Amino acid sequence: MSVLIIEAFYGGSHKQLADLLHEELEDCVLYTLPAKKWHWRARTAALYFSQNVPTSERYRILFASSVLNLTELAALRPDLGKLKKILYFHENQLVYPVKKCQERDFQYGYNQILSCLVADVVVFNSVFNMESFLTSIGKFMKLIPDHRPKDLESLIRPKCQVVYFPIRFPDISRFMPKHKTPHLKKMLSLKGDDASPSVAFPSQKDLGGSESVLKNFTSVSRLCDAFSDLKPAQQERLEPSNMHKCNSSDHSNSYHEEKKHNSALNPCDIVGATDDQQRPLHIVWPHRWLEAVYCGCYPLCPKDLVYPEIFPAEYLYSTPEQLSKRLQNFCKRPDIIRKHLYTGEMAPFTWAALHGKFRSLLTTEPREDL
């Protein structure tokens, strides 16, 4: 157990990454707390883990998400403080959206800054995430009324790097239109001398059957298209409140809830309707974009935040007027969307492409003081 993985908020993407590393990398041990009461996890998880992670001379590396106060854990457990400490940022609390600036709790961002100072390596899931955090440190620290620390960005930046969130894409080819299947596999093939082996589609046995596949991708277009087979009175309007209900992987049970009220939502209806290019489009908020595009969605994103880093320019809009115009055109010609083949890259975001970087991160030469 040379790699110690600690996840203070074991749910959603945090759980997905922790499980992936635990399953794919050798000699790992995982300790977690349930994904509840995020604010309390950020405040108190370090003390809990200091009492519940057993002492071991085999630990060499500590990998944790930025929810954990790494500074407190290193102080409470000097044996863990000596390890190579890797901090992974799914998001950062310096720019995470709040309704009003006054509502931003200073302590959460401050804890993340301290954790970066203690960490040996700081990893972000995107360039935007990294730069928005680093360039906000100076302004954030000005909230301190006096005796402010200086040059924190210059101390932290040399430790930072970007390693995209790795995704294991399941085989959904039997749910896709025939003309998109070859393109799907082509996008997931890795090329180049330093590339990892091509992505191998898992079997249905590995996936746990078709229901498992559908459950993990309830908010993508192939499922949403099934609603067009319903009578108008049965179709529910996609109000923002309704879209919010399925905007996270934490709500994966939404498929089962919808199925109880909608007999048309099943694989047969979806497959049987794939050839009708004139059916109405459905606008969805998939939350997990890199997965949604894989399942056939056409991404239409603001030219802001992380989106320009991930999607080609043709999928971005600058103003609400541009968004409205593009949606109107697509609604008039839904066949354009259904025939469209995504032009961006997907392979760089796969576990096959990224496993080498994670393996490199989670290895280290033994230290004399361990």
Side-chain angles (χ1 to χ4, degrees), residues 150-204:
K150 299 179 180 179
D151 303 321
L152 297 183
E153 178 184 348
S154 63
L155 293 174
I156 294 172
R157 184 176 284 276
K159 304 179 180 184
C160 297
Q161 59 179 281
V162 173
V163 181
Y164 287 106
F165 188 92
I167 302 173
R168 287 188 296 192
F169 292 106
D171 182 5
I172 59 165
S173 56
R174 66 194 186 96
F175 300 113
M176 298 290 286
K178 293 182 180 179
H179 74 281
K180 288 191 176 185
T181 302
H183 182 69
L184 180 72
K185 294 184 177 181
K186 182 180 179 181
M187 281 196 300
L188 290 179
S189 65
L190 300 174
K191 300 179 181 179
D193 296 335
D194 59 345
S196 305
S198 297
V199 175
F201 286 115
S203 66
Q204 288 299 317

Side-chain angles (χ1 to χ4, degrees), residues 60-353:
R60 291 293 180 270
I61 297 169
L62 170 60
F63 182 94
S65 75
S66 59
V67 175
L68 178 71
N69 189 325
L70 191 58
T71 307
E72 291 180 347
L73 182 63
L76 292 167
R77 286 286 299 271
D79 59 317
L80 301 182
K82 294 178 181 179
L83 306 179
K84 176 184 177 182
K85 298 173 289 299
I86 302 170
L87 191 68
Y88 191 88
F89 275 76
H90 293 260
E91 64 284 312
N92 77 78
Q93 291 301 311
L94 301 193
V95 298
Y96 198 84
V98 293
K99 292 181 179 179
K100 297 179 181 179
C101 185
Q102 294 90 331
E103 295 179 0
R104 187 181 300 280
D105 192 314
F106 179 83
Q107 195 64 41
Y108 302 127
Y110 183 68
N111 288 352
Q112 289 189 332
I113 292 173
L114 290 181
S115 293
C116 288
L117 292 171
V118 169
D120 298 293
V121 182
V122 182
V123 184
F124 293 84
N125 61 356
S126 71
V127 175
F128 170 79
N129 194 8
M130 180 177 71
E131 290 299 327
S132 65
F133 178 80
L134 292 174
T135 58
S136 297
I137 290 176
K139 180 180 178 181
F140 183 80
M141 297 304 288
K142 288 182 180 179
L143 294 172
I144 300 176
D146 54 14
H147 301 288
R148 303 183 187 106
K150 299 179 180 179
D151 303 321
L152 297 183
E153 178 184 348
S154 63
L155 293 174
I156 294 172
R157 184 176 284 276
K159 304 179 180 184
C160 297
Q161 59 179 281
V162 173
V163 181
Y164 287 106
F165 188 92
I167 302 173
R168 287 188 296 192
F169 292 106
D171 182 5
I172 59 165
S173 56
R174 66 194 186 96
F175 300 113
M176 298 290 286
K178 293 182 180 179
H179 74 281
K180 288 191 176 185
T181 302
H183 182 69
L184 180 72
K185 294 184 177 181
K186 182 180 179 181
M187 281 196 300
L188 290 179
S189 65
L190 300 174
K191 300 179 181 179
D193 296 335
D194 59 345
S196 305
S198 297
V199 175
F201 286 115
S203 66
Q204 288 299 317
K205 180 179 179 181
D206 295 331
L207 294 172
S210 60
E211 182 170 318
S212 176
V213 177
L214 292 175
K215 181 177 68 174
N216 290 326
F217 296 96
T218 57
S219 59
V220 297
S221 63
R222 300 282 12 113
L223 292 181
C224 289
D225 281 346
F227 281 102
S228 64
D229 293 332
L230 298 177
K231 297 178 181 179
Q234 293 175 295
Q235 295 185 8
E236 182 178 8
R237 293 182 62 192
L238 290 178
E239 298 291 347
S241 59
N242 294 326
M243 288 190 286
H244 178 72
K245 293 178 183 178
C246 62
N247 73 344
S248 169
S249 60
D250 294 341
H251 298 89
S252 59
N253 289 331
S254 61
Y255 167 69
H256 299 288
E257 293 298 321
E258 290 176 356
K259 188 173 181 181
K260 289 190 294 186
H261 302 288
N262 174 20
S263 60
L265 190 58
N266 60 64
C268 297
D269 290 332
I270 297 171
V271 175
T274 54
D275 295 330
D276 184 1
Q277 297 294 332
Q278 294 303 319
R279 287 180 295 110
L281 293 178
H282 288 84
I283 302 172
V284 298
W285 179 258
H287 185 68
R288 299 299 183 87
W289 287 90
L290 295 175
E291 287 98 328
V293 172
Y294 169 76
C295 289
C297 279
Y298 183 102
L300 196 51
C301 311
K303 195 175 183 180
D304 196 8
L305 305 175
V306 73
Y307 299 112
E309 186 179 338
I310 298 175
F311 298 111
E314 66 179 287
Y315 302 109
L316 307 177
Y317 63 87
S318 299
T319 65
E321 290 75 19
Q322 290 181 359
L323 172 61
S324 177
K325 184 176 181 180
R326 295 193 68 179
L327 288 175
Q328 288 181 41
N329 291 336
F330 291 154
C331 289
K332 292 176 182 177
R333 290 288 309 279
D335 59 304
I336 294 178
I337 296 297
R338 292 202 167 88
K339 292 178 180 178
H340 179 79
L341 299 178
Y342 180 64
T343 62
E345 295 186 359
M346 194 170 293
F349 304 102
T350 63
W351 172 245

